[in-house]
């Protein structure tokens, strides 16, 4: 097992991932500094979720090197369970145990993995439920909660393990639009508190307001990256402009799949509404 120093919470070098003959990631190089919020955007099938899942070895890379929280997770001798204790992950689907209450969903890993006693685990679980605005839902089962509430329970469950960094895989994509805001508010709060976050998202408003850096992926490659103001507000690559024009103004997309608000040869610079302060 290799321990690596430095200021980066995540470092990825030469990452490839293939499923059979399909190469999903085709040479990814990027890093996330400690305390940084990085949003990964791009079309479906671009490799965003696969990249996220490779970071904690939910998918085994075909080639390349990944270092997380100071440990090389691609080292054959790595204790990946030990590394994963330092990483919180929130999925598209909430992945809660349906037969357990919200409180029990937050305490089970604490007790079985971290060996905390029941009283300590429940105390921390209640604190985290309160942190995400669900202090009164400790006794509720997942089926008794809305989708947004279930996702906030999932975030609280990850936080109860005291992670050094958080991975979010499109955490609002399965939610009704009116429920998205509550989840994003929790994520904004985490960012303000200095949590290191790698977020795969289609929420451009969140990326612009909260991210320190935005990474645009397409075809298994990083096409461009930079500050939200530059990548989302004034993208340099035409593929990025095309994607953003469709996301930000879906009604302007052509039926034949080409063009955008400026015609069939692709859109010009993307203009977006001014930033609004986070609630």
């Amino acid at each position: 097992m290799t321990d690596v120093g430095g200021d980066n919470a995540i470092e990825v070098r030469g990452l490839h991932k293939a499923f059979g003959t399909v190469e999903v990631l085709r040479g990814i190089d990027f890093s996330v500094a400690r305390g940084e919020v990085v949003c990964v955007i791009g079309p479906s099938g671009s490799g965003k979720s696969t990249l996220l899942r490779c970071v904690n070895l939910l998918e085994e890379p075909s080639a390349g090197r990944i270092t997380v929280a100071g440990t090389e997770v691609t080292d054959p001798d790595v204790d990946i369970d030990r590394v994963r204790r330092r990483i919180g992950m929130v999925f598209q689907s909430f992945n809660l145990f349906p037969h357990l209450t919200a409180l029990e969903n937050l305490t089970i890993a604490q007790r079985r993995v971290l060996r905390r006693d029941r009283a300590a685990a429940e105390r921390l679980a209640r604190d985290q439920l309160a942190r995400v605005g669900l202090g009164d839902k400790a006794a509720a089962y997942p089926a008794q909660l809305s989708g947004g509430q279930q996702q906030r329970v999932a975030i609280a469950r990850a936080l109860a393990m005291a992670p050094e960094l958080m991975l979010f895989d499109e955490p609002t994509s399965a939610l009704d639009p009116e429920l998205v805001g509550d989840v994003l508010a929790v994520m904004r709060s985490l960012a303000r508190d200095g949590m290191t976050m790698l977020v795969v998202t289609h929420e451009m408003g969140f990326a612009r307001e909260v991210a320190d850096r935005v990474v645009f992926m397409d075809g298994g490659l990083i096409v461009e990256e930079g500050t939200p103001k530059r990548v989302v507000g004034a993208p340099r690559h035409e593929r990025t402009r095309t994607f953003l024009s469709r996301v930000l103004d879906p009604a302007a997309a052509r039926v034949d799949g080409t063009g955008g608000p400026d015609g069939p040869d692709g859109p010009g610079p993307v203009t977006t509404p001014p930033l609004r302060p986070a609630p």
Side-chain angles (χ1 to χ4, degrees), residues 125-184:
R126 291 183 187 280
D127 288 345
Q128 295 302 337
L129 286 173
R131 183 178 185 179
V132 301
L134 295 174
D136 60 338
K137 299 295 184 181
Y141 289 89
Q144 298 171 316
L145 302 172
S146 70
Q149 289 171 331
Q150 290 184 60
Q151 191 61 292
R152 282 186 282 159
V153 170
I155 294 173
R157 178 180 59 185
L159 294 174
M161 302 296 285
E164 296 179 27
L165 62 139
M166 292 282 289
L167 309 178
F168 292 87
D169 187 5
E170 299 193 39
T172 61
S173 65
L175 302 179
D176 291 336
E178 64 182 6
L179 303 176
V180 168
D182 291 338
V183 173
L184 294 182

Side-chain angles (χ1 to χ4, degrees), residues 74-142:
T74 44
D75 187 319
D77 297 324
V78 71
D79 181 351
I80 191 59
D81 290 332
R82 182 175 71 86
V83 177
R84 285 176 180 151
R85 294 173 193 173
R86 304 161 72 181
I87 306 170
M89 185 156 185
V90 178
F91 300 87
Q92 297 178 40
S93 54
F94 321 124
N95 291 357
L96 299 177
F97 293 108
H99 63 292
L100 300 180
T101 65
L103 185 70
E104 291 166 341
N105 266 282
L106 265 68
T107 58
I108 186 170
Q110 292 187 66
R111 298 182 63 198
R112 294 189 179 182
V113 177
L114 301 182
R115 304 299 181 186
R116 288 179 180 147
D117 63 60
R118 181 185 295 272
E122 289 189 355
R123 182 168 56 251
L124 183 56
R126 291 183 187 280
D127 288 345
Q128 295 302 337
L129 286 173
R131 183 178 185 179
V132 301
L134 295 174
D136 60 338
K137 299 295 184 181
Y141 289 89

Side-chain angles (χ1 to χ4, degrees), residues 239-258:
R239 182 66 189 95
T240 315
R241 293 196 296 270
T242 302
F243 170 78
L244 287 169
S245 70
R246 293 175 178 170
V247 171
L248 298 169
D249 189 10
R254 289 165 53 106
V255 173
D256 63 6
T258 63

Side-chain angles (χ1 to χ4, degrees), residues 20-120:
T21 60
V22 179
E23 194 171 17
V24 178
L25 299 177
R26 301 190 291 134
I28 299 293
D29 294 281
F30 89 112
S31 61
V32 179
R34 299 181 192 277
E36 188 179 25
V37 178
V38 175
C39 285
V40 183
I41 64 173
S44 297
S46 60
K48 307 183 303 296
S49 292
T50 300
L51 168 61
L52 204 69
R53 292 172 66 84
C54 283
V55 167
N56 63 357
L57 289 196
L58 292 178
E59 296 290 353
E60 188 78 27
S62 302
R65 184 172 184 241
I66 302 172
T67 301
V68 178
T71 300
E72 184 187 340
V73 300
T74 44
D75 187 319
D77 297 324
V78 71
D79 181 351
I80 191 59
D81 290 332
R82 182 175 71 86
V83 177
R84 285 176 180 151
R85 294 173 193 173
R86 304 161 72 181
I87 306 170
M89 185 156 185
V90 178
F91 300 87
Q92 297 178 40
S93 54
F94 321 124
N95 291 357
L96 299 177
F97 293 108
H99 63 292
L100 300 180
T101 65
L103 185 70
E104 291 166 341
N105 266 282
L106 265 68
T107 58
I108 186 170
Q110 292 187 66
R111 298 182 63 198
R112 294 189 179 182
V113 177
L114 301 182
R115 304 299 181 186
R116 288 179 180 147
D117 63 60
R118 181 185 295 272

